[in-house]
Amino acid sequence: MTNETWASDTPGLLRLPSGLLVRGRGLRTPLPAGQTPEFGIYLQGKEPAKVDWESRWVRWKDFWLPSDPEAFTKALREVLDRAERERVEIACGGGFGRTGTAMSCLVILDGVPADKAVAYVRAHYSHRAVETPWQKRFVARYV
């Protein structure tokens, strides 16, 4: 299954093992030129700024873990579902720690073994993904 609704030159794209595409990005940098997402989840300690597309906020302080792991998993499942037909993104302040951790959990939901998830995201999204030991441990124990 693949979804090619994102342009192939869109920065920050992660192709999941299923072929679905999810964009990761940092909110402290300007919105990239080109297509905008149709849905996003935003991983922030405080409610993020409004966007022109549907979104979910997951409370998650910088360098830490999601405040509500159940709500986090629900948001990731929504990302997976919507990625089949829409442009979706996951974003935090810098686009690496929380976003990389979320993407690592997302690839687990998409079939990557937990012990290989961080390496997969570092190889296919950013070598800076997942910044802290506790984020890495969270991924290893996810689901």
Side-chain angles (χ1 to χ4, degrees):
M1 156 186 2
T2 62
N3 173 22
E4 299 298 328
T5 62
W6 282 112
S8 60
D9 62 346
T10 300
L13 281 184
L14 172 67
R15 184 174 297 277
L16 302 177
S18 63
L20 297 175
L21 297 172
V22 177
R23 179 172 78 181
R25 72 179 180 98
L27 297 170
R28 289 191 296 264
T29 58
L31 184 67
Q35 297 173 302
T36 58
E38 294 167 286
F39 178 73
I41 62 170
Y42 301 101
L43 316 168
Q44 302 253 246
K46 295 180 182 177
E47 190 169 2
K50 298 287 184 206
V51 291
D52 293 335
W53 47 88
E54 193 175 349
S55 66
R56 303 281 176 271
W57 169 40
V58 174
R59 187 182 300 272
W60 189 334
K61 290 183 181 178
D62 202 6
F63 298 106
W64 292 99
L65 300 173
S67 297
D68 183 344
E70 190 174 306
F72 167 66
T73 295
K74 184 177 178 182
L76 286 185
R77 291 191 187 282
E78 187 172 5
V79 163
L80 268 180
D81 178 58
R82 293 177 79 144
E84 293 179 18
R85 60 192 178 285
E86 297 176 69
R87 292 183 304 276
V88 297
E89 75 173 2
I90 298 173
C92 66
F96 302 109
R98 292 169 284 182
T99 297
T101 301
M103 288 191 158
S104 296
C105 294
L106 189 66
V107 301
I108 291 169
L109 294 176
D110 201 52
V112 173
D115 63 336
K116 307 261 188 274
V118 171
Y120 183 94
V121 172
R122 286 179 174 168
H124 296 94
Y125 169 66
S126 172
H127 70 279
R128 295 174 59 192
V130 187
E131 293 177 318
T132 68
W134 44 92
Q135 288 172 340
K136 192 171 183 180
R137 189 169 41 249
F138 179 81
V139 171
R141 296 175 180 169
Y142 189 69
V143 176

